[in-house]
Amino acid sequence: MDFVIIGGDAAGMSAASRAKRIDPAMQVTVLEKTEDVSYSACGMPYNMADAGREMDELIVRQAHVFREKQDINLLTGHCATAIDTAAQKVDGEKPDGTPFSFSYDKLLIATGASATRPDIPGIDEPGVFTLKTLEDGRQIKRYIAEHQVKHTVIIGMGYIGLEMAEALRKRDIAVEMIKPRPRLLPWMDETMADEIRQELEANDVAVHDGRSMTRIKRKNNKLAVINDDETLETDMIFVAVGVTPNTDIAGKAGIALGSHKEITVDRTLETSIPGIYAAGDCADAYNMITGQKIWKPLALRANRAGRAVGDNVCGNHVELPGITGTAVFKVFRFEVARTGLTAAEAETTGFSPVTATIKSRSRAHAHPGSSSLWVHLVGDKVSGRLLGAQMTGIEGAAHRINAVAVALCAGMTVADFAQSDMAYAPPFSPVWDPMLTAANQLLKNFHPEM
């Protein structure tokens, strides 16, 4: 069997490795348009904080290892440009520009996503960067060193933007953040989001939310972010406004796409065309709470989906139930975590959401080092089902969120979750873990008259 994979990062290389492990005789070809495969993209902002670290430290496995130890035909610098589904072949260009063509029996599209750039004049000026690939990271570190960057404007206030704000401040680079929509982290409980804003401001990060941008231009050998009322001059601009799935090649081949132009797959990761699979940031998933399709790029999902494709192309039938959207990131001292639905998302998908937000402690009240921990839970008043959670604090949020993620996967009610037998010791938690306190409060909010 000829198994061809377009894309050589998390999903692509997981599929290739799994298929080769199950069937060593299978011919597995991976077409990767860059020179980098199998690296920890999520580690790039943290690497950026240390001028002395090489970005290549984030490579998990070098390309030659896949070739020599696993007998995978990994072709870097090979850009796939078209899929002929009738002839079952992939066409593209080699590094020298000459064409190539590979026939396939099974095909995986693992083309990932690209960083989105706002459609404003000047967005392609030198010194305006996004961070999605390892080469993006190399270029940013090189630019900071060569131009002695002392000030950066970050457009966007999502996970990557906030992580980059911390990384740049650790290098003593002044940071201003700007976005057109009001509120920092609008999906988050407002009280908790205010804690994150205060943490940013305490670390001298200027937060300009609710401010539009009309253009970027060069001014006095500096870059300038301009709107009608204000000009922010800077040495470098970092754009972090989200990602867009790389699915042009799939769409042109007639493969069904979703509302965000992501590739639609079933639970086996097969697309609308039999024998063609999709996995990673270019593909959708099922929401385990609503049962509806969702596009939410996540590292674990990419690796798990790639592995499942490797099983399925080898005849081992594997179905993935879906995701709950669990995510965690760090903002200076604070851990920020979420899973499941927000109240607004719950209402949109037909639930009757009720929420509870509590402030507790990360450890027993008298134990040294105890700090505040906020927990926000969402439940459905009609069914009593637990729907989602948000947490933030200096410690204790990042790993606690996993308990709620498991509860969501199991379809637990709030009442069931409130009876969970959670570990207690003073260095780690109060007797009543903050999640239990929040669950009990949510139960009271279901019936406030009682």
Side-chain angles (χ1 to χ4, degrees), residues 7-201:
D9 197 13
M13 297 318 300
S14 292
S17 297
R18 182 64 174 166
K20 266 295 188 181
R21 189 174 297 115
I22 296 170
D23 184 0
M26 180 181 288
Q27 178 64 33
V28 178
T29 299
V30 179
L31 307 171
E32 168 54 45
K33 68 178 182 179
T34 74
E35 296 299 324
D36 298 308
V37 298
S38 191
Y39 57 91
S40 175
C42 298
M44 290 193 291
Y46 304 100
N47 179 287
M48 203 74 64
D50 185 346
R53 286 183 65 193
E54 293 294 330
M55 195 61 65
D56 285 8
E57 291 179 17
L58 297 174
I59 296 173
V60 177
R61 185 176 296 180
Q62 298 282 354
H64 71 86
V65 177
F66 289 105
R67 297 177 185 127
E68 297 165 8
K69 292 192 174 182
Q70 295 178 264
D71 193 28
I72 293 170
N73 184 26
L74 171 55
L75 302 173
T76 55
H78 282 58
C79 181
T81 56
I83 301 168
D84 185 336
T85 59
Q88 293 191 191
K89 66 187 182 81
V90 177
D91 297 323
E93 291 185 356
K94 298 178 183 178
D96 61 4
T98 58
F100 68 73
S101 183
F102 283 94
S103 296
Y104 65 84
D105 296 303
K106 301 288 184 180
L107 175 67
L108 168 61
I109 303 171
T111 45
S114 295
T116 304
R117 286 178 175 255
D119 186 16
I120 59 174
I123 196 67
D124 294 319
E125 283 279 354
V128 180
F129 295 96
T130 58
L131 182 62
K132 190 67 174 71
T133 69
L134 208 58
E135 183 57 28
D136 291 337
R138 295 187 190 106
Q139 291 180 9
I140 294 172
K141 293 192 87 165
R142 193 179 306 126
Y143 190 90
I144 290 172
E146 292 175 354
H147 293 80
Q148 299 181 330
V149 171
K150 298 297 181 186
H151 184 281
T152 299
V153 169
I154 297 177
I155 299 175
M157 299 180 190
Y159 303 175
I160 302 300
L162 291 168
E163 289 173 344
M164 278 295 290
E166 177 181 352
L168 294 170
R169 287 299 299 129
K170 285 187 174 179
R171 295 184 62 168
D172 202 28
I173 296 172
V175 174
E176 295 191 67
M177 304 187 78
I178 185 170
K179 72 167 188 173
R181 292 175 60 193
R183 283 194 59 196
L184 176 70
L185 301 173
W187 52 267
M188 195 176 200
D189 174 79
E190 194 164 358
T191 301
M192 294 162 64
D194 286 343
E195 292 291 325
I196 306 306
R197 180 189 288 271
Q198 291 172 30
E199 181 70 2
L200 289 166
E201 292 172 346

Side-chain angles (χ1 to χ4, degrees), residues 287-307:
N287 186 309
M288 294 180 70
I289 304 163
T290 67
Q292 299 174 3
K293 285 298 192 77
I294 185 174
W295 179 63
K296 192 179 285 287
L298 295 167
L300 176 58
R301 167 68 181 190
N303 283 277
R304 179 177 282 152
R307 179 184 173 90

